[in-house]
Amino acid sequence: MSSASSASTSTPPPDSSQYPAERQAQNKSSKALLYRLYISHTLSTWNARTFEFGAVIFLAAIFPRTLFFASCYALFRSAAAAALGSWIGSLVDSQNRLYVVRQSIVWQRVSVALSCLILVMLLAGNPENGLVLYGLFALIVALAGVEKLAFVANAVAVERDWIIVVSDSLGVERQELNSAMRRIDLVCKLIAPLGIGLLDGYSTRTAIWVVFGQNAISVLIEYFAIAQVYSAIPELGQGKEQGNATETPRSPGGTSTAPSRSTLNTIKDNICPWKDYFQNPAFLASFSLSLLYLTVLSFASQMTTYLLTLGFTSTHVSIMRLVAVILELSATCAAPLLMNKIGAVRSGLWFINEQLVSIMLAISFFAATTSQTHLKLAGLALVAGVALSRLGLWGFDLCVQYLVQEDAPEATRGSFSAIEMSLQNFFELLSFATTMIFYRPEDFKYPVYISAGAVALSAACFAGFVRQKRGHLLHTSKCLKRAGRSGRYQILPTIEEEVEMGDVNSEERRS
């Protein structure tokens, strides 16, 4: 009787299939929010990539026949991010999410706009007074540091924190969301420099004013688009879960018994995020990704300059870069599929080894053909290997990003990601140093070998992370085990499935 009554009073859970209109409306609402997030991220990345490349060619036009000013500009811009990245991370962790992103948008746009005005002044005619000239250049460098720090804050907050909350709230696969954001980065990385380069070829002054105009126009769109995402997802407004915090003891009168904040305490506060970074389970994975920035094997200024010295034209280099970007974009499609099949850890292992093999094969051909009669052939071999390695690079990047999102605690997620970006900028500085030391084209082979060593060390670090995470590198018995008589190999279980199987086996042994 009681069971019958309970059965009669209980109501079955609503079937979502009974409400197609509501479900369709919810899907449309989720897509609209994602589009706003994509718009904000696209404008932020587009403006950053445009100014990053444009500022260098603007300085080259203002200060012709010397690379000193452009090199100093790039060097100090990266140094600012390397030195102050942990401070930016602490702000991301401690401040309101919307406040941090909005401040990053404003400071990015203001610093770029002021830089453009100063560049126009310098382009009109270099001041005869050397102090004024170097003072304006120093001001541009300082503004570049502000712009870089604001971009780091925006990238850390949105790509490493907002994405997790948005994907959980909207029920979107995080791998797909990460891939979409990375796809935006790569497209902007390709098209933005190309567009501003063509404008600069027509008129440097016009190009500077275009950069100024697009920053002035986009700031309002970014500002309100990200605010709409924030207001539509209540979880973004909730405070982050804090770890065990120790409060300063206070006397009965209400004053602190500890001494006032001293320099020693400030140093300790700056060191603590680094300590947490090294102790995080995802440290080796993050560090292995940062090591890959110690490279000249990319279609950046260093390798581009080397290819031009070999006799390749800018058109040839643009075509090579286009092929590399196509492979990079394919990685953003392949990485989510592979992670869904075998998990992020194994996928990362596959991608980093694909990059290592591609680089090693390219360098083998490069070393074998490096002579005065086969320089172009050596350059082509290097380009082919570098282009193929981009598939592994960006697939590995997405895998590590997912692992960091999983292992980094919510309360220190910003600090962890900001320190990771600081290390990336530090290793990028080291790559600049290698070409400053070995500046002759015939000595470019030494930075190439150093870059290959960094890739090999990165693969070793990630292998250590995999062994630490799983207790082994390869499942030889499972890899070679056939499924029945069909002769087809079994699909390897994901990491989560391995954990579940381990729990079941332990419970069976206890019973």
Side-chain angles (χ1 to χ4, degrees), residues 250-471:
R250 296 184 176 273
S251 62
T255 59
S256 174
T257 58
S260 60
R261 190 173 187 85
S262 62
T263 305
L264 183 62
N265 291 333
T266 303
I267 295 175
K268 184 179 178 181
D269 291 341
N270 291 329
I271 292 176
C272 279
W274 287 90
K275 182 180 178 182
D276 294 337
Y277 175 80
F278 292 128
Q279 293 177 346
N280 192 278
F283 158 67
L284 280 176
S286 173
F287 186 75
S288 63
L289 177 63
S290 300
L291 275 170
L292 296 178
Y293 282 76
L294 204 171
T295 184
V296 297
L297 299 176
S298 65
F299 290 93
S301 58
Q302 296 147 305
M303 186 171 168
T304 299
T305 304
Y306 174 71
L307 293 174
L308 292 175
T309 62
L310 296 183
F312 293 101
T313 65
S314 57
T315 304
H316 295 152
V317 176
S318 299
I319 294 173
M320 297 172 188
R321 185 172 180 172
L322 177 63
V323 173
V325 171
I326 291 174
L327 290 172
E328 291 173 351
L329 290 173
S330 67
T332 64
C333 300
L337 297 176
L338 192 59
M339 283 191 281
N340 287 331
K341 289 286 185 181
I342 62 175
V345 177
R346 289 177 183 162
S347 300
L349 194 62
W350 285 25
F351 279 121
I352 188 62
N353 281 286
E354 189 277 338
Q355 183 183 7
L356 179 61
V357 170
S358 300
I359 292 296
M360 290 306 174
L361 288 175
I363 290 179
S364 299
F365 285 109
F366 175 77
T369 56
T370 300
S371 65
Q372 293 298 326
T373 57
H374 301 93
L375 287 178
K376 272 198 170 184
L377 185 60
L380 286 174
L382 199 62
V383 166
V386 170
L388 288 175
S389 72
R390 310 308 282 179
L391 175 63
L393 170 65
W394 290 107
F396 181 67
D397 177 272
L398 286 171
C399 293
V400 172
Q401 181 176 350
Y402 182 84
L403 293 170
V404 169
Q405 290 171 344
E406 286 290 302
D407 290 338
E410 184 182 13
T412 59
R413 194 179 290 151
S415 297
F416 186 94
S417 299
I419 290 175
E420 179 183 278
M421 296 189 74
S422 296
L423 286 174
Q424 292 172 1
N425 282 278
F426 172 74
F427 286 121
E428 191 176 34
L429 286 177
L430 292 183
S431 72
F432 289 143
T434 60
T435 51
M436 291 175 67
I437 296 172
F438 304 104
Y439 59 90
R440 296 186 300 177
E442 57 267 26
D443 292 334
F444 188 71
K445 58 184 177 181
Y446 299 114
V448 167
Y449 298 152
I450 293 173
S451 303
V455 175
L457 183 58
S458 172
C461 287
F462 192 76
F465 167 77
V466 174
R467 184 170 181 82
Q468 181 184 29
K469 185 89 171 177
R470 302 170 54 202

Side-chain angles (χ1 to χ4, degrees), residues 85-134:
S86 61
W87 173 67
I88 292 295
S90 64
L91 290 180
V92 173
D93 288 332
S94 60
Q95 301 293 330
N96 175 268
R97 286 187 171 99
L98 181 60
Y99 174 81
V100 171
V101 176
R102 277 185 160 181
Q103 288 293 313
S104 69
I105 292 171
V106 171
W107 283 107
Q108 269 187 284
R109 303 298 154 252
V110 169
S111 58
V112 171
L114 292 177
S115 296
C116 289
L117 294 178
I118 297 174
L119 287 169
V120 169
M121 292 172 55
L122 290 174
L123 189 64
N126 291 343
E128 297 180 359
N129 190 335
L131 291 177
V132 175
L133 174 65
Y134 288 110

